[in-house]
Amino acid sequence: EDKVVQSPLSLVVHEGDTVTLNCSYEVTNFRSLLWYKQEKKAPTFLFMLTSSGIEKKSGRLSSILDKKELFSILNITATQTGDSAVYLCAVPKTGNNRKLIWGLGTSLGVNP
Amino acid sequence: EPEVTQTPSHQVTQMGQEVILRCVPISNHLYFYWYRQILGQKVEFLVSFYNNEISEKSEIFDDQFSVERPDGSNFTLKIRSTKLEDSAMYFCASTPRAGGPETQYFGPGTRLLVL
């Protein structure tokens, strides 16, 4: 059965800390992995990763994929209170349906 | 920037009533989805829709649920006879043409409360 597992489930840090969020997957016909940030409402897209070892970066956020070990990490450096959210990892199925297989998410709290 | 929109943002209904949740996907997208998220739980896939028909549905998507694309823009989810356990946030999403990126773009959600 396809699955996506995230760790830790929750994390509380102080502003300025660096955090690393983990996502491991077991999905047939893997093609890509997506990271989303969910605050109060809909998940907002952060990164799509398709190739191992190539870091995607956006400001203080970066992510990398390891297709051999079947995991991805999301790093946030110099965290700010606005980074507090649930970070979701998802893997799309291939084919016409393309449904997303979701992890449970990591709830990140950043304290001032 | 184009975005997925959903209406209403909140819906409160009595058990047994029918509800229709509406979505307007991004205009050149071809794949449409409904997901739901019960408070504190994982986002769950409900149904995917492509080429004017359901391409996959989960076991949650039983006979109480139906989807329609009644015109070129709207994509609706109907729950015929709501149950208490249907209370959740319902997200619509869309992705671009075949062969395009697999990134799904989500609407802001409709929070459904069944009393």
Side-chain angles (χ1 to χ4, degrees):
Chain A
E1 187 189 335
D2 295 329
K3 62 180 179 181
V4 175
V5 178
Q6 291 185 246
S7 64
L9 286 182
S10 69
L11 186 58
V12 179
V13 300
H14 290 290
E15 261 192 323
D17 288 350
T18 292
V19 296
T20 298
L21 311 182
N22 303 290
C23 174
S24 64
Y25 60 90
E26 290 177 30
V27 177
T28 52
N29 300 317
F30 175 86
R31 279 175 45 175
S32 64
L33 183 145
L34 309 175
W35 282 98
Y36 287 86
K37 177 182 181 182
Q38 185 178 30
E39 295 174 89
K40 289 195 170 47
K41 288 208 170 176
T44 52
F45 172 73
L46 294 175
F47 298 112
M48 180 171 81
L49 302 159
T50 55
S51 302
S52 278
I54 298 173
E55 186 184 55
K56 291 278 181 96
K57 201 166 166 63
S58 175
R60 295 176 295 100
L61 276 66
S62 63
S63 186
I64 199 158
L65 177 68
D66 185 330
K67 286 163 78 169
K68 187 177 170 189
E69 300 296 329
L70 308 184
F71 77 92
S72 172
I73 59 171
L74 175 69
N75 277 322
I76 310 175
T77 57
T79 50
Q80 300 170 359
T81 54
D83 295 326
S84 297
V86 175
Y87 290 83
L88 297 167
C89 173
V91 176
K93 293 288 285 181
T94 54
N96 281 342
N97 58 44
R98 293 188 168 190
K99 71 178 185 185
L100 291 177
I101 311 295
W102 294 89
L104 198 50
T106 293
S107 176
L108 173 66
V110 181
N111 290 329
Chain B
E1 189 178 332
E3 56 184 23
V4 178
T5 60
Q6 288 184 244
T7 54
S9 59
H10 294 79
Q11 172 101 44
V12 181
T13 191
Q14 295 288 328
M15 195 168 60
Q17 295 296 303
E18 174 183 286
V19 295
I20 297 176
L21 311 183
R22 292 185 167 80
C23 168
V24 179
I26 294 173
S27 64
N28 62 349
H29 284 192
L30 292 182
Y31 299 83
F32 313 112
Y33 310 83
W34 283 101
Y35 292 87
R36 79 170 184 193
Q37 187 176 32
I38 295 170
L39 192 63
Q41 296 187 24
K42 190 183 283 201
V43 178
E44 299 172 289
F45 167 78
L46 291 178
V47 65
S48 59
F49 194 84
Y50 170 71
N51 203 26
N52 284 320
E53 58 184 22
I54 291 174
S55 49
E56 185 173 350
K57 55 186 181 180
S58 71
E59 61 261 21
I60 302 167
F61 194 89
D62 61 21
D63 292 343
Q64 298 280 57
F65 291 88
S66 62
V67 288
E68 254 193 340
R69 189 155 159 82
D71 53 43
S73 58
N74 289 286
F75 179 51
T76 61
L77 174 70
K78 184 193 289 186
I79 309 175
R80 264 180 268 284
S81 177
T82 49
K83 307 186 201 87
L84 297 176
E85 55 265 35
D86 294 328
S87 296
M89 184 74 113
Y90 288 81
F91 294 111
C92 171
S94 67
T95 57
R97 55 180 170 74
E102 292 159 333
T103 309
Q104 293 187 12
Y105 296 89
F106 285 79
T110 293
R111 186 170 293 286
L112 176 66
L113 179 61
V114 182
L115 301 176

